[in-house]
Structure formats: C-alpha cells, structure tokens
Amino acid sequence: MQFASLYPLVYRILKPTFPKCLWCGNPNSKAIALTFDDGPHPQYTPELLAVLDRYNIKASFFWLGVCVNRNPAIAKTICDRGHWIGLHSYDHRNFPMLSPTELQQSLEKTQAAIHSACNLQPSQVRDVRPPNGFFTPETLKLLHQWNYRPVMWSVVPEDWVRPGVATVVQRVLQQVQNGSLIVLHDGACGGQDVAATASSLIPQLLQQGYQFVTVDTLWQQAALR
C-alpha cells in the first residue's frame, strides 16, 4: 500500500507538534534542500553524484553506518565534494523499537564509521533522521540530551516504492515551496531511479528559481527567524 497522498497531511500535523525538529527552512526564502537517505550505495550513489556535479548542487546525505563501512571510498568522495552528512542509524532499525542504550550505540557506531571513512569528528555529524520517520517524544528527548539535531521532512514523494520517475518528479513539483526539505533515497530501496529523478527534477526546480542548500543552512535560517 502506498501512502504518498498522506504525507502532506502528516507533515501539517507533526510540524507544529514537534517544533524542535527541522521540518523545513524559511518560508520567505527560495532556498530548499535535497536530501538522500539509506546510502551510500556502490552503484546508485555514484550515479547520483554525477548529476549533482553536473548542476553544481550541494545536497545532504543521511547515512546508514553499515553502508558507510561497506563503501568507505564513496562516502569519502561525497564528503570531499562538500555535501552535508547526517545520520540515519547504523542498520535502519526503527528508533522506538530500540532501548536508549541501543539507540545511542547505533548513532555512535555510525559516527565512528563516518570518522573512519571521512575523518569527520562525531561533533561534526550530529543531524539525525529517524528511519521511516518513526519517533516518539522520548526519542526526541534523548536526541536532544545527546546533542543531536533531529531532521525530518516536508516533501516525501515515496520514491522507495518505485512508482516511476515521472510520478516522483510530479509529486515533488506539486508540493515544493519555499524552504522545502525534500526526501529521496539512494540506497537499495528506491536508489535504482534516484539519478534519473534528480536529473529530471533539478533543472525544473532551478527554472522555478529555487536555490539548493544543505540541511545545515536550513538550520541556520531557522535560527534567524
């Protein structure tokens, strides 16, 4: 079952309920963020990077620690090209299913994998997107207690079920607005189409006057509001 039509409603409900998460950027700015979950992948991520390079776009990647350990050279390439790096857990287990100790270990193992591949210190990688978007108030309390920054989304085209590139692009274009935080996937689920999706989507968004920024920039803009 697909739930793409429900995500805008879920966003409108959750955003005011959990204001300490990053859901979007400044509604008065044409700055938007392209974010990619579940990588790095040995095939799909390099294909995506070629598209981002073509348009000189800086994106934000939320990594699984297990995938970083499997593909350290690709992780380093992403980092070296100036993209923003965040955490998506070690192995994509839903946060509410983990004990506090297991959750902390999952994040720290992912930071360690990133440090080994990219030489980024743990303090430099503290943005966290929960797998599947699942979290509880207790989850957020722990993340803040451990000095992580929870990052959510405002545009979810459900690309991981592979409805087709044209459908994913259409969903994004219908929902995008100033400050949008767009979620796509470059991992095993959905990554097959990510380069084609980005190749179609980016020029259309540029034509509409949007500027691509990283999640860190959206945080900075949010702090200034």
Side-chain angles (χ1 to χ4, degrees):
M1 184 179 296
Q2 298 186 25
F3 299 96
S5 62
L6 297 179
Y7 283 105
L9 175 62
V10 172
Y11 164 73
R12 288 194 293 271
I13 293 172
L14 293 182
K15 180 177 180 288
T17 307
F18 300 99
K20 292 185 179 181
C21 304
L22 183 68
W23 294 93
C24 62
N26 188 337
N28 299 313
S29 169
K30 295 286 284 187
I32 61 176
L34 269 184
T35 70
F36 300 93
D37 289 2
D38 295 353
H41 187 277
Q43 176 183 346
Y44 309 143
T45 302
E47 293 173 348
L48 170 63
L49 284 177
V51 178
L52 298 176
D53 285 350
R54 187 188 317 154
Y55 292 100
N56 194 28
I57 298 297
K58 300 304 180 194
S60 301
F61 289 82
F62 289 84
W63 282 341
L64 298 175
V66 65
C67 292
V68 176
N69 281 334
R70 290 172 181 163
N71 306 286
I74 296 173
K76 187 176 189 305
T77 297
I78 295 170
C79 184
D80 288 347
R81 292 185 187 180
H83 300 290
W84 189 252
I85 309 303
L87 309 169
H88 198 46
S89 81
Y90 188 77
D91 52 9
H92 213 272
R93 287 189 292 167
N94 293 329
F95 287 175
M97 304 300 294
L98 303 178
S99 70
T101 298
E102 290 172 330
L103 174 57
Q104 189 171 33
Q105 289 175 345
S106 175
L107 297 173
E108 290 179 350
K109 282 176 65 178
T110 306
Q111 286 176 314
I114 293 170
H115 174 69
S116 177
C118 307
N119 201 32
L120 290 177
Q121 299 299 321
S123 60
Q124 296 175 275
V125 188
R126 57 193 186 95
D127 285 330
V128 178
R129 175 175 283 150
N132 299 310
F134 292 161
F135 65 91
T136 65
E138 178 64 20
T139 303
L140 298 183
K141 179 181 177 181
L142 290 170
L143 292 178
H144 288 297
Q145 178 182 320
W146 298 330
N147 200 33
Y148 293 109
R149 304 191 300 186
V151 177
M152 303 305 175
W153 33 258
S154 61
V155 179
V156 187
E158 206 177 32
D159 61 324
W160 63 88
V161 300
R162 302 190 67 195
V165 170
T167 297
V168 172
V169 170
Q170 180 186 34
R171 288 171 178 172
V172 174
L173 294 176
Q174 287 175 341
Q175 297 179 43
V176 70
Q177 56 188 308
N178 289 358
S180 283
L181 208 169
I182 302 165
V183 178
L184 296 169
H185 294 76
D186 64 325
C189 295
Q192 301 92 327
D193 300 326
V194 71
T197 298
S199 185
S200 174
L201 184 60
I202 288 172
Q204 295 186 70
L205 292 172
L206 288 172
Q207 189 174 22
Q208 293 183 25
Y210 288 106
Q211 172 194 5
F212 292 91
V213 300
T214 66
V215 161
D216 190 52
T217 299
L218 292 190
W219 275 115
Q220 294 173 29
Q221 292 179 348
L224 294 173
R225 295 212 309 265

